[in-house]
Every structure is written in C-alpha cells, then in structure tokens.
C-alpha cells in the first residue's frame, strides 16, 4: 500500500485549502448583476437574491446533446422588480425600449422588452443561477440567460453581469 506524501508542508497545505474555501465563498457573495438604465430602481442582483425569487426551470441540451436542467428566475420578473416598463405600460414609445445583456467577457445580446414580458409571450427566458441543482461554475456564471425553445443558442449569454434597459435612437 502506497502512502500519499505531499510535496508541501502540511501546515501550508491546510492554509491553501482554507484560502481556497474562503475564496469560493467570497466569489459567491460577490457574484452579481446590475440592472440599470431606463428603470425606476437600479438593482444589484446577487445569486442569493435569485434563490429567494420564484423558480423556473428549463431543460436544455448542449452541443454534445447532453441535457441539463437550468433553474433561476424569469427575466420578466427581475425586470419588473427594477420597475421596468412592462405589461400594460409596454406600448407606444415604450415599445422602442430594449434589454442589453452584457457578460464579463464582453459578449452582448439584445432583446426587445416584449420578448421577455410574460404578458406578450408564453416562451420563458430565465436568468439562471443553477445548473442541475448546483450554482453555476465561474466559467458559466454568476448568471446565464437560458431561452426556452431557441433553435440556435448564441443568445444564451453566460457570465451575465449587467442588464441595461435603453431606448432605441
């Protein structure tokens, strides 16, 4: 029977493990997305905030045809909580507003507000913070836009850090 012999002193190894755990907890606390622009109340939405809101799940396949269950909150609910023009107010000039989703890697996606408003569509778009029950990895999170029934997936933005409401020019 072979014994594992660490190359680092045990005390240093313990400190590194503790630091790694603290860093993961700190990252979870800092994982957030700003909701800003043409809103009544700008918000900073954390992973914990999303866990407190009503959950919606969407099952989606990746490129290798493997199914995953994403859970989070419907994007329309998040925007409504920030006071974005929705439902009966979404008419006339307000229909020229759009949502700009920005990711930490610079990726951007645009949606009309009607696309994310449940009073206009039955298709679900969620701001997911969990995949198969676990928090999203740093490569995918803190948040991932998941669109139900989307044939192509380039608008399923990952690493979402900002949701900005704007008027078209």
């Amino acid at each position: 029977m072979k014994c594992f012999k660490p190359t680092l002193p045990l005390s240093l190894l313990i400190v590194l493990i503790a630091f790694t755990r603290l860093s993961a907890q700190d990252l979870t606390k800092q994982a957030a997305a700003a909701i800003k622009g043409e809103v009544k109340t700008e918000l900073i939405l954390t992973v914990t905030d999303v866990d407190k809101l009503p959950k919606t799940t969407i099952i989606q396949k990746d490129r290798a045809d493997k199914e995953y269950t994403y859970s989070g909150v419907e994007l329309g609910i998040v925007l409504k909580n920030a006071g974005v023009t929705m439902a009966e107010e979404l008419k006339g000039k307000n229909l020229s507003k759009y949502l700009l989703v920005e990711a930490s890697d610079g990726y951007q996606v645009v949606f009309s507000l009607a696309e994310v408003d449940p009073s206009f569509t039955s298709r679900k778009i969620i701001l997911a913070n969990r995949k198969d029950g676990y928090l999203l990895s740093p490569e995918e999170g803190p948040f991932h836009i998941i669109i139900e029934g989307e044939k192509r997936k380039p608008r399923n933005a990952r690493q979402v850090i900002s949701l900005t409401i704007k008027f078209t020019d």
Side-chain angles (χ1 to χ4, degrees):
M1 176 183 201
K2 291 186 178 183
C3 287
F4 170 73
K5 188 170 183 179
T7 56
L8 294 172
L10 187 57
S11 59
L12 181 57
L13 193 59
I14 291 169
V15 169
L16 286 173
I17 291 169
F19 178 74
T20 302
R21 287 185 182 159
L22 287 174
S23 295
Q25 290 171 353
D26 290 342
L27 283 174
T28 300
K29 289 177 186 173
Q30 294 174 3
I35 303 170
K36 57 189 180 179
E38 296 292 327
V39 300
K40 289 180 184 165
T41 307
E42 290 195 357
L43 297 176
I44 301 295
L45 189 67
T46 66
V47 171
T48 305
D49 294 332
V50 169
D51 279 338
K52 293 177 185 174
L53 294 169
K55 294 289 168 292
T56 298
T57 61
I58 295 176
I59 297 172
Q60 195 168 81
K61 292 181 181 182
D62 66 6
R63 292 179 184 162
D65 220 27
K66 183 171 191 253
E67 275 190 359
Y68 293 99
T69 301
Y70 289 91
S71 62
V73 62
E74 286 192 46
L75 203 46
I77 292 172
V78 170
L79 297 178
K80 185 178 178 183
N81 286 346
V84 174
T85 305
M86 304 288 277
E88 297 301 319
E89 295 177 321
L90 194 52
K91 58 186 174 186
K93 183 180 177 186
N94 284 329
L95 277 173
S96 67
K97 289 182 184 177
Y98 64 93
L99 167 65
L100 174 64
V101 177
E102 297 175 274
S104 62
D105 64 359
Y107 196 75
Q108 296 181 336
V109 177
V110 173
F111 295 92
S112 72
L113 285 187
E115 285 183 279
V116 298
D117 188 334
S119 68
F120 276 77
T121 183
S122 58
R123 180 171 71 167
K124 295 178 186 172
I125 300 175
I126 65 171
L127 184 66
N129 69 328
R130 295 185 177 271
K131 180 178 176 179
D132 291 336
Y134 298 98
L135 287 176
L136 296 173
S137 69
E139 294 81 30
E140 194 172 2
F143 301 108
H144 191 150
I145 297 289
I146 302 294
I147 307 164
E148 181 179 60
E150 191 95 331
K151 290 180 181 180
R152 296 186 60 232
K153 300 194 177 42
R155 297 194 313 161
N156 283 1
R158 58 189 185 134
Q159 298 178 335
V160 173
I161 58 167
S162 176
L163 304 168
T164 307
I165 304 300
K166 296 183 175 190
F167 273 106
T168 57
D169 292 330

